[in-house]
Each structure stands twice: as C-alpha cells, then as structure tokens.
Amino acid sequence: ALTLAPSDVLVCPLRPVERFRDLCPEEVADLFRTAQRVGNVVEKHFCGTSLTFSIQDGPEAGQTVKHVHVHVLPRRAGDFSRNDDVYEELQRHDKDDSPDKWRTEEEMAAEAEILKKYFQEN
C-alpha cells in the first residue's frame, strides 16, 4: 500500500468497488463508522489535533487506484505550509504508484500490530 505519510491510513470497504456510488447504504455507513474509529486512533497515536478524511472518487477527482478508499490523515498545526496543500499532496501522491515506494507486507504488519492495541481497549 502507498500512503501519503507514515500516519496516513487507508480504510477500504470489505467489498471492493470502483466508485463511491457503487456502495449500498449499509456499506457507506460501515465505511464511515470505521473511518471514524480509525481516525480517533491515529489522531491519538500520532499526536494529531485534527483529521483530514479524503476520497478521490473518479479519475477527474484524482483517483488512480480503481477501488474506493478513504485516506485518514492526522493533522497538526504547521504540518503543511498552506493547510489545503494536503489535497495537492494527496493528488500527487496517488499518481506516484511505483512499487519501490510501497511499504512492505512486513512494515504494514508491524504498523498494524502497534495500532491494534487501541482497538482492543474498551
């Protein structure tokens, strides 16, 4: 998987679909409940003070991977020189799909192990 920053997490629906409109209402609700839960965890873990949720839905919106996914990106003051630069970075990032920039299965498993403890609380 290719993410914008080490703290950028992707949330995908269980059923892979190309466009947001292809999800049924229950899947939309599940996707955003999950994005909310993940957002709470990554904001806490990465010491963020805000969150950016982003979906590029279709090629003209910058979607390059043909399945719906939500970027959940913890934010903090000064992380981008202009706040909305995050969207330009997301668009540039999604076009840079070279495998040598992907995190390995081992790296992703290690990250998941670190974040898993937050989901086991309560």
Side-chain angles (χ1 to χ4, degrees):
L2 182 65
T3 55
L4 179 64
S7 56
D8 178 25
V9 175
L10 301 182
V11 177
C12 304
L14 291 174
R15 182 175 63 95
V17 296
E18 186 171 336
R19 297 289 309 275
F20 187 74
R21 66 177 171 232
D22 299 329
L23 295 170
C24 71
E26 293 80 15
E27 290 170 316
V28 171
D30 185 54
L31 178 64
F32 277 94
R33 278 194 306 266
T34 303
Q36 182 183 48
R37 261 187 97 195
V38 168
N40 290 339
V41 165
V42 297
E43 184 175 353
K44 178 179 178 180
H45 181 77
F46 292 104
C47 302
T49 55
S50 299
L51 293 165
T52 293
F53 294 90
S54 177
I55 298 175
Q56 286 97 354
D57 187 35
E60 290 74 31
Q63 180 185 31
T64 56
V65 179
K66 293 189 178 203
H67 64 80
V68 171
H69 59 281
V70 180
H71 287 266
V72 181
L73 183 63
R75 303 290 306 275
R76 59 182 79 78
D79 56 1
F80 288 89
S81 56
R82 287 183 324 112
N83 190 52
D84 284 352
D85 285 349
V86 68
Y87 301 110
E88 291 175 24
E89 188 61 32
L90 278 165
Q91 190 167 8
R92 200 172 25 256
H93 150 77
D94 274 355
K95 288 181 180 170
D96 188 11
D97 199 19
S98 55
D100 61 318
K101 297 197 176 178
W102 293 0
R103 289 179 293 164
T104 65
E105 292 289 330
E106 293 78 18
E107 289 170 320
M108 289 187 289
E111 290 167 10
E113 192 61 34
I114 290 167
L115 296 176
K116 181 170 71 172
K117 68 181 178 207
Y118 293 101
F119 295 99
Q120 294 172 334
E121 295 173 359
N122 302 336

